[in-house]
Every structure is written in C-alpha cells, then in structure tokens.
C-alpha cells in the first residue's frame, strides 16, 4: 500500500517521498515539464525534466521526489497544495492510459447520461463525484459512530426474502431448489427488524439495501440504502428525539447549518392546510443560497385511505400502531377514516428524508389492520402468521425509523439526481452501470430454474 496520499506532502516539505496516482495535466515547456499528479486526496504540482516527458493524462505513475515550498509569487491559492511542489527524481510508469472517451475535468453535468454511466469508472474520477462519494462514506461513518455510542447493534438481515406489503412492487428471484417459487428482494427490513426486537436485540440498526420495482424518478431508483433503526421500550416522542439528535449531530459535524432546532412538528392536517403537501420546503431564498437545512416532523397521519375499489389500505406502513386513543376504534373497526397512525415522517428542504412509527406489538391489533384492509383469515395467516406468532411470545413495545441515504445526500450536496450520490447507479431506463444488465438468461439457466420466458 502506498504510504502517502498526495496532500500528505504538505507535511513533508524538504523531504524526499514517493507519491502514486494519475497524471491529471501535463505542461511541457521543453526544458522543464509541469505535471499535476492526482489521487483521491487531491492534486500536487510535480516539476521535472525529460523524466516526465512521454507521459500523458490519466497514465498511472509513481513519482519519487523532493517536496519544496514554492516561492511566494508562485503560490497557487486555488490548490490545496498550492504552497508546495515536488521536484521529481524518479518516475515509474505503472500503467498507460488511452485517450479517455469523456472529459473528467468538468462537473460533468452536461455530458450525456449513457456515456457517463457506460464509463462510470472514469466519470467517477471527476472531482465532484469523488467528493460526493467521500461525503457519503463520511455521512455513514458519523451515523455509525452516533449509534454505536448509544449501544446500538448493527445486524444484517436477508436479501433473499419474502414479499412484504410496503406499497411497492417487489423484485422477484426464482428459486432453483424450489422450482416455481420465488424469493422477493426486500423493500425494507421491516419485518426482520421487528422480529429482532422480539429476539431481544433492542437498539438495532443496519445500513440496509432496499429494492423496489417502481417507476424511476430523479430522486428514486430501483435500489436505495437506508439507515434502518428499530428500538424496544420507546414511545413516539423519545424515538423522534433520538433520531433528531442523530441527524443534527451528523449534519452539523459535516458543517451544515439547521434552520430551526428543535425541528418543528406539524400534524398531517396542519401541513396540508399550510403547505398543501406533507413534504414542504420552509426555506427562504436566502436560506437556499446559504445551504441551510430546514427539517420538520410530520405526525398524526391517517392510518388508512380508501382504495379505488372502495376498500381500505394503509397510508404508510401496516405494521404501525394506531395512536393509543384510537386503538379501540382499530380493534372494533369503527371510525376507520378517523384512526391516526403513530407514524412520523421527517421532511427536509421539500423532500421526505425519513419515516417510521411505533409498531403494533399486540397480535390482535396487527390482525385487525389486515382485516380492515379486507384480508381473509387464511391470507393473514399465510402472509403474516410468522409475525403474529412471534408477537405471542413476549414482544416488547417497539418502534423505529428509516432514512434514505441518497435523498439525504442529494440535499446535502445540492444534487438533483440520485445517481450523483451513488457509485454505480442505473440509467433512467433501468440499465445497470457499466455492465449490460438486465440481460437474457441462458437456456441452461432457465431450464435449471424451471422457467420459460414468453417474450
Ligand atoms: N420500513 C419503513 C421504510 O422502509 C421505515 C420504518 O417504518 O422503519 O420506509
């Protein structure tokens, strides 16, 4: 492993060190050649003679040299390493690069999406995307630190699982061992995280991958990652407080300013009366210019809404508990339109950036939700029998929340598209970055899976 990143050179003035990276630019002035060497940390100017000749941009090199302070008038204030340069004494070429098929010295916004995605490994070399991906890593690191300090456990849950009614279409995976049967990729780890509470793992979190086969939008992809949290022995106020502390700590550590603390709390009705929407932007134009984050909670959502067929469906999450004062109505299936859920959504700058609820931990309350939605007893048993049974063995009261990581990063980085904060995103047509997927299965694969395609 290399010993130094390029910007570490700042701490090694008057020393000979070795740096490795890519040739970012090269300026040949005959007797003297200037080269900017780039790595993950930034760039440094290298000065040399014929040793640097013959190199071209994006070649990979190791350069040994003496780090020197630049004379005052040659200091470049635009460069993090603008006070120094390195005099090359030895150059080793590790890999040559062909001319790259897209420019990487711009922000890349104006380059055709398909080209950017086909050559994502080059697209990612641009400064803007390097910064986006690094901030993502830092963001997740700070979340983990916050949660581990509060005695949370990070626990993984299966990716090959069963369809969950979370309101979206599932991605299905055929089973070779059980021909004709399918796994579903998780829309969220909702049921597992609740079962982990029954198992006694109070204070769980996971940076969870979630898959939803929904139409793609600028701020929605087939896959996303979420900070997925579940806690036992909590009420709504205390989990909202914990979550608010996490978000506040993390974004402030990253240097952002929050418009209002504690976050304002609006009921769904207040939000609809005031903003005509349950996600809204409370920033002034000046706030927008200054990159201010305006968070707000929305609570007291209706539990159910009418379906087109005249029945009822849940508005957010069937596993939510009703507000305590509406428990009897839920059990008696009375005043259904008036039942409010213990759901809480977090809104930031016009986006929904999180949502969760206190859950039903009593089997009869959960069953009643599905009965209101018109499920027959057998159907409830088939789909949710495992949850209902688990709740008969001493289920602690629990609740949780999840935050879409990409949405949050889009806001922090002022990006309009989710793909700008994902290392290997999909095209808007649902093609996977770099690789040509989805693609046809071979006849042998289909045979093994017991599947015939009709298209
Ligand atoms: N399962 C919910 C979601 O993925 C979040 C939660 O209620 O914890 O949106």
């Amino acid at each position: 492993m290399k010993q130094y990143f390029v910007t570490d050179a700042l701490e090694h003035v008057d020393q000979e060190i070795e740096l490795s990276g890519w040739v970012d630019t090269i300026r040949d002035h005959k007797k003297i050649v200037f080269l900017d060497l780039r790595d993950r940390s930034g760039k440094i100017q290298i000065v040399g003679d014929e040793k640097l000749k013959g190199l071209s941009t994006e070649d990979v090199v190791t350069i040994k040299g003496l780090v020197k302070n630049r004379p005052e008038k040659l200091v470049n204030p635009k460069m993090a390493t603008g006070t120094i340069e390195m005099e090359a004494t030895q150059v080793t070429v590790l890999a040559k690069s062909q001319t790259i098929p897209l420019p990487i010295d711009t922000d890349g916004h104006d380059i055709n999406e398909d080209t950017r995605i086909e050559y994502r490994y080059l697209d990612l070399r641009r400064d803007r995307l390097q910064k986006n991906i690094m901030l993502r890593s830092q963001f997740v690191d700070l979340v983990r630190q916050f949660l581990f300090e509060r005695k949370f456990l990070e626990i993984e849950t299966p990716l090959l699982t069963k369809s969950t009614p979370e309101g979206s279409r599932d991605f299905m995976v055929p089973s070779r061992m059980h021909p004709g049967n399918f796994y579903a990729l998780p829309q969220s780890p909702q049921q597992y995280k609740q079962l982990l509470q029954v198992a006694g793992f109070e204070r769980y979190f996971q940076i969870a991958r979630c898959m939803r086969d929904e139409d793609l939008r600028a701020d929605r992809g087939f896959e996303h990652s979420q900070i997925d949290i579940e806690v036992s022995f909590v009420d709504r106020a205390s989990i909202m407080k914990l979550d608010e502390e996490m978000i506040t700590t993390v974004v402030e550590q990253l240097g952002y300013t929050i418009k209002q603390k504690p976050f304002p709390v609006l009921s769904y009705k207040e939000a609809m009366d005031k903003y005509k929407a349950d996600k809204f932007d409370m920033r002034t134009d000046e706030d927008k210019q200054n990159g201010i984050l305006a968070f707000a909670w929305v609570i007291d959502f209706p539990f159910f809404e009418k379906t087109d067929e005249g029945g009822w469906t849940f508005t957010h999450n069937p596993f939510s508990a009703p507000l305590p004062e509406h428990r009897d109505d839920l059990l008696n299936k009375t005043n259904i339109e008036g039942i409010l859920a213990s759901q809480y959504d977090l809104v930031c700058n016009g986006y929904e950036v999180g949502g969760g609820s206190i859950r039903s931990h009593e089997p009869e309350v959960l069953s009643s939700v599905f009965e209101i939605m018109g499920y027959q007893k057998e159907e409830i048993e088939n789909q949710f029998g495992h949850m209902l049974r688990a709740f008969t063995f001493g289920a602690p009261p629990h609740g949780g929340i999840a935050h879409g990581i990409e949405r949050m990063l889009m806001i922090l980085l002022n990006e309009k598209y989710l793909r700008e904060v994902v290392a290997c995103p999909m095209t808007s047509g649902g093609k996977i970055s770099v690789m040509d997927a989805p693609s046809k299965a071979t006849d042998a694969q289909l045979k093994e899976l017991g599947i015939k395609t009709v298209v």
Side-chain angles (χ1 to χ4, degrees):
M1 192 162 67
K2 69 183 195 183
Q3 195 176 1
Y4 300 115
F5 281 112
V6 153
T7 51
D8 294 339
L10 285 164
E11 282 117 56
H12 296 278
V13 173
D14 296 329
Q15 290 172 30
E16 173 141 291
I17 60 168
E18 193 176 88
L19 298 175
S20 295
W22 287 258
V23 176
D24 191 66
T25 49
I26 183 153
R27 301 173 295 282
D28 190 340
H29 296 292
K30 302 241 166 67
K31 283 210 183 96
I32 181 162
V33 180
F34 291 100
L35 173 159
D36 280 353
L37 181 70
R38 185 189 77 234
D39 74 1
R40 210 185 82 184
S41 70
K43 296 173 198 169
I44 185 171
Q45 176 164 283
I46 311 284
V47 194
D49 47 23
E50 61 277 356
K51 281 193 264 332
L52 300 180
K53 285 187 195 276
L55 293 176
S56 29
T57 51
E58 301 311 309
D59 285 351
V60 182
V61 291
T62 292
I63 302 181
K64 218 185 210 172
L66 182 66
V67 182
K68 289 178 116 180
N69 276 322
R70 293 197 203 182
E72 191 105 14
K73 48 182 199 308
L74 294 182
V75 164
N76 179 356
K78 289 201 198 109
M79 224 174 157
T81 59
T83 54
I84 57 165
E85 60 189 9
M86 183 194 239
E87 263 178 27
T89 52
Q90 197 183 320
V91 180
T92 314
V93 179
L94 303 176
K96 293 291 289 173
S97 172
Q98 292 186 37
T99 307
I100 52 172
L102 72 174
I104 56 167
D105 56 352
T106 63
D107 65 18
H109 283 303
D110 53 345
I111 305 172
N112 169 288
E113 182 201 343
D114 288 341
T115 311
R116 287 187 55 201
I117 300 242
E118 184 182 350
Y119 293 102
R120 186 59 165 179
Y121 46 87
L122 298 178
D123 190 41
L124 283 168
R125 288 185 189 171
R126 75 182 70 254
D127 200 39
R128 178 172 63 92
L129 293 193
Q130 289 272 314
K131 289 206 173 101
N132 288 4
I133 301 302
M134 281 184 217
L135 189 85
R136 183 178 177 140
S137 172
Q138 249 179 306
F139 176 85
V140 171
D141 178 27
L142 291 171
V143 166
R144 283 203 164 98
Q145 284 183 36
F146 178 92
L147 292 170
F148 283 135
E149 271 166 25
R150 281 153 191 83
K151 299 192 164 54
F152 275 75
L153 296 171
E154 184 169 9
I155 306 178
E156 288 178 33
T157 54
L159 281 182
L160 292 174
T161 181
K162 190 178 159 85
S163 190
T164 331
E166 301 235 9
S168 301
R169 198 180 292 110
D170 287 310
F171 275 104
M172 307 299 286
V173 181
S175 159
R176 176 181 58 82
M177 292 175 81
H178 304 277
N181 289 284
F182 293 80
Y183 301 98
L185 298 178
Q187 292 186 32
S188 93
Q190 183 67 39
Q191 297 189 48
Y192 287 108
K193 67 174 173 175
Q194 291 193 244
L195 293 172
L196 287 172
Q197 302 311 297
V198 181
F201 292 114
E202 45 189 295
R203 299 194 205 180
Y204 139 99
F205 86 97
Q206 174 177 199
I207 305 298
R209 303 298 294 274
C210 304
M211 269 68 68
R212 300 177 186 181
D213 190 359
E214 295 178 281
D215 290 340
L216 299 165
R217 288 194 317 224
D219 66 340
R220 196 169 69 188
F222 286 151
E223 308 184 31
H224 73 272
S225 298
Q226 63 187 31
I227 309 164
D228 197 59
I229 292 177
E230 200 72 13
V231 183
S232 292
F233 311 108
V234 279
D235 55 18
R236 181 171 73 167
S238 56
I239 192 144
M240 284 166 65
K241 184 163 176 286
L242 170 93
D243 189 76
E244 183 165 330
E245 206 186 321
M246 175 181 82
I247 294 293
T248 304
T249 308
V250 170
V251 300
E252 287 185 345
Q253 277 179 288
L254 292 172
Y256 290 87
T257 305
I258 294 173
K259 185 175 171 79
Q260 197 181 332
K261 293 191 295 186
F263 302 164
V265 182
L266 284 82
S267 69
Y268 171 74
K269 187 173 178 316
E270 284 165 344
M272 294 307 281
D273 287 348
K274 197 162 171 193
Y275 298 104
K276 312 264 174 299
D278 56 2
K279 351 182 192 322
F280 41 84
D281 197 344
M282 299 175 306
R283 291 170 305 163
T284 60
D285 287 345
E286 199 186 335
D287 291 339
K288 285 183 190 169
Q289 264 158 25
N290 295 331
I292 302 284
L293 302 172
F295 288 100
W297 288 106
V298 184
I299 59 169
D300 294 348
F301 288 92
F303 201 127
F304 299 100
E305 63 187 6
K306 279 262 180 221
T307 61
D308 293 342
E309 295 77 41
W312 292 103
T313 187
F314 58 89
T315 63
H316 280 78
N317 189 337
F319 299 100
S320 295
L323 288 183
E325 56 272 34
H326 296 159
R327 182 176 170 276
D328 287 348
D329 270 341
L330 191 114
L331 284 172
N332 299 330
K333 306 181 186 59
T334 49
N335 184 28
I336 293 173
E337 64 282 359
I339 299 174
L340 298 181
S342 61
Q343 176 80 24
Y344 30 84
D345 275 4
L346 187 67
V347 172
C348 180
N349 297 4
Y351 289 93
E352 184 199 313
V353 291
S357 61
I358 298 299
R359 323 298 184 185
S360 292
H361 69 289
E362 300 166 289
E364 56 279 20
V365 179
L366 183 57
S367 288
S368 199
V369 170
F370 292 117
E371 283 160 20
I372 289 175
M373 286 168 22
Y375 283 59
Q376 299 305 312
K377 282 236 149 13
E378 201 182 313
E379 218 177 337
I380 298 178
E381 174 53 32
N382 277 345
Q383 289 206 39
F384 307 106
H386 53 281
M387 295 294 279
L388 295 166
R389 234 172 339 277
F391 289 171
T392 64
F393 298 116
H398 59 281
I401 190 161
H403 293 280
I405 292 178
E406 291 83 3
R407 287 254 178 96
M408 200 59 237
L409 277 143
M410 279 172 67
I411 296 170
L412 296 181
L413 289 159
N414 204 15
E415 292 285 6
K416 286 202 190 65
Y417 296 96
L418 192 125
R419 63 168 181 264
E420 307 294 351
V421 300
V422 177
C424 301
M426 252 175 212
T427 63
S428 46
K431 286 273 184 184
I432 289 177
S433 176
V434 184
M435 315 216 186
D436 186 25
S439 56
K440 295 238 181 303
T442 63
D443 288 344
Q445 284 170 322
L446 290 175
K447 192 165 173 230
E448 202 168 39
L449 294 167
I451 286 182
K452 267 205 181 99
T453 54
V454 291
V455 284

